[in-house]
Amino acid sequence: MPLESPLAPVSERVHDLNARYRHHSAISVLEHALNDPQVGRTAMVSSFGAESVALLHMVSVLDRSVPVLFLDTQMLFAETLDYQREIADRLGLADIRVLTPDRTETFLRDPEGDLHLSDPDACCTLRKIEPLEDALAPFDAWITGRKRFQGGRRATMEFFEDEAGARIKVNPLAHWTPDDVQDYILNNRLPRHPLVANGFPSIGCAPCTTRVAEGEDPRAGRWRDREKLECGIHYVGGRAVPVRAPL
């Protein structure tokens, strides 16, 4: 959407957007994010993981031309790559942008493909953070599927976040519960990621994702036995930063 005037600072827009849409539904927040001039040029970032299909379906209902950025780290499960193609085709998503790590940087920094063993943060920086930063450069906002129930820094997030003044982060599903996600997938007869049935409720790169036992936290299989909890794409420059809460 062409903008007629320069956008106000991100913090001001986030404050206003949260005040206006605080009590709206997920689909309403998403629709406003795609059409409100205060949000600006918007892309969606999706892992095509265990729960991604719900938000992807919402986007397809509202506007199939929205750019969808998919990070192919070149270490994903084959099932994820197949699922990405299946969902994109089924939902008619018209602008899927597959992001891959820079070949030269990968050769220099991870020539054997084993950086994840010694320094998983550096591996995520190379294969996720840097490609995404480049791809997001033209956009004023990006849509994520994060939810409060996932805990950690996500527990108090709002629909709209200030990404350290760089751009707006839109979280339409912020207030959804696990049951909300599953009900949406079931009611809309959406295909599930094939690994979910095999004990993978949260799915990342193959070397850093393990099955989750019954009763474990759904994200227990991500970077198991390490202190690492996030890949870093929801941090600025790969580092956690305070998110400005609306006043």
Side-chain angles (χ1 to χ4, degrees):
M1 178 185 300
L3 301 175
E4 298 180 355
S5 59
L7 293 170
V10 171
S11 59
E12 294 179 17
R13 289 184 283 134
V14 163
H15 180 193
D16 180 64
L17 289 162
N18 278 319
R20 286 194 285 132
Y21 301 131
R22 188 180 306 280
H23 302 295
H24 285 233
S25 66
I27 190 71
S28 178
V29 168
L30 179 59
E31 183 174 15
H32 285 299
L34 295 176
N35 294 284
D36 193 314
Q38 286 200 60
V39 179
R41 297 161 297 182
T42 305
M44 178 181 179
V45 176
S46 179
S47 66
F48 285 81
E51 298 175 342
S52 299
V53 70
L55 190 54
L56 287 163
H57 179 264
M58 284 187 188
V59 168
S60 74
V61 169
L62 294 172
D63 185 355
R64 293 180 178 178
S65 70
V66 171
V68 177
L69 312 183
F70 170 60
L71 281 162
D72 178 2
T73 64
Q74 300 182 335
M75 286 193 166
L76 298 177
F77 289 97
E79 290 88 342
T80 297
L81 298 174
D82 291 341
Y83 185 64
Q84 181 270 314
R85 290 187 285 266
E86 175 191 356
I87 295 302
D89 182 64
R90 175 162 176 163
L91 299 182
L93 298 168
D95 191 1
I96 299 287
R97 304 184 187 186
V98 179
L99 314 180
T100 56
D102 182 90
R103 293 181 63 182
T104 300
E105 289 300 317
T106 301
F107 175 77
L108 292 173
R109 292 152 60 183
D110 192 13
E112 303 300 325
D114 57 3
L115 182 60
H116 63 279
L117 296 174
S118 60
D119 193 341
D121 286 338
C123 185
C124 286
T125 295
L126 170 66
R127 297 177 179 277
K128 291 187 174 184
I129 296 170
E130 291 174 2
L132 184 59
E133 285 180 344
D134 290 342
L136 283 175
F139 296 100
D140 304 300
W142 56 301
I143 300 162
T144 88
R146 296 182 308 151
K147 309 161 195 72
R148 287 186 171 189
F149 75 74
Q150 293 168 327
R153 296 180 66 247
R154 307 180 183 197
T156 58
M157 69 184 175
E158 301 287 346
F159 285 133
F160 299 91
E161 293 179 303
D162 175 357
E163 193 174 59
R167 61 183 60 85
I168 293 175
K169 191 178 294 183
V170 187
N171 310 300
L173 308 185
H175 300 284
W176 274 27
T177 66
D179 286 343
D180 290 330
V181 178
Q182 299 309 316
D183 287 348
Y184 187 94
I185 293 173
L186 180 64
N187 292 337
N188 288 282
R189 300 180 180 180
L190 300 173
R192 299 176 187 273
H193 193 298
L195 290 178
V196 171
N198 292 327
F200 294 84
S202 181
I203 303 160
C205 293
C208 299
T209 307
T210 61
R211 285 185 173 82
V212 173
E214 185 175 352
E216 282 191 302
D217 183 278
R219 289 181 64 85
R222 304 290 295 277
W223 305 286
R224 188 179 289 278
D225 299 326
R226 293 181 178 270
E227 294 183 1
K228 185 173 175 65
L229 299 175
E230 295 268 4
C231 66
I233 66 170
H234 295 294
Y235 300 161
V236 175
R239 297 183 178 182
V241 297
V243 173
R244 297 178 184 140
L247 301 176

